[in-house]
Amino acid sequence: MVDVVATAAAALTAGYLLGRLRPWQRLGDWAADQVRFTGTWVRGGAARQAVVVLAHAVTAPRTSWRIMRAPATDTSVPVPVGDPDWAAHRTRHDKEGTA
């Protein structure tokens, strides 16, 4: 009888602590932040990337599936192209400044 009460008390305490600390939700929030802000976890190496992706896939499988299926976005900034005929298109104001 004492074993049953001790086991029930331990289970109740563990459930209360897990409910207060919410480790599953915290792990999911951490993984989502790491995936969203890709700067540091990409530089962290293959082991860190594997941990983050696994944690995100376990805690948010629907979001992970949507991210994996989405096409990669181009993060390069377009370079402005100068006018090759800039000398012919100068205004009078521009011509006066080069004297």
Side-chain angles (χ1 to χ4, degrees):
M1 181 69 179
V2 175
D3 291 339
V4 173
V5 172
T7 303
L12 198 67
T13 303
Y16 173 76
L17 289 175
L18 287 175
R20 293 290 290 169
L21 296 176
R22 298 181 196 152
W24 193 258
Q25 185 177 3
R26 288 179 186 225
L27 178 65
D29 292 345
W30 174 80
D33 287 343
Q34 296 299 312
V35 169
R36 188 178 307 120
F37 305 111
T38 58
T40 56
W41 79 277
V42 170
R43 291 188 299 260
R48 181 174 169 88
Q49 289 177 12
V51 167
V52 168
V53 169
L54 180 65
H56 193 267
V58 168
T59 57
R62 287 186 291 173
T63 305
S64 298
W65 182 250
R66 188 179 70 236
I67 290 172
M68 287 187 283
R69 290 181 50 219
T73 57
D74 186 20
T75 58
S76 63
V77 177
V79 178
V81 178
D83 184 9
D85 296 327
W86 66 272
H89 298 165
R90 289 187 300 173
T91 62
R92 178 173 293 225
H93 182 309
D94 293 337
K95 291 178 184 176
E96 291 172 358
T98 59

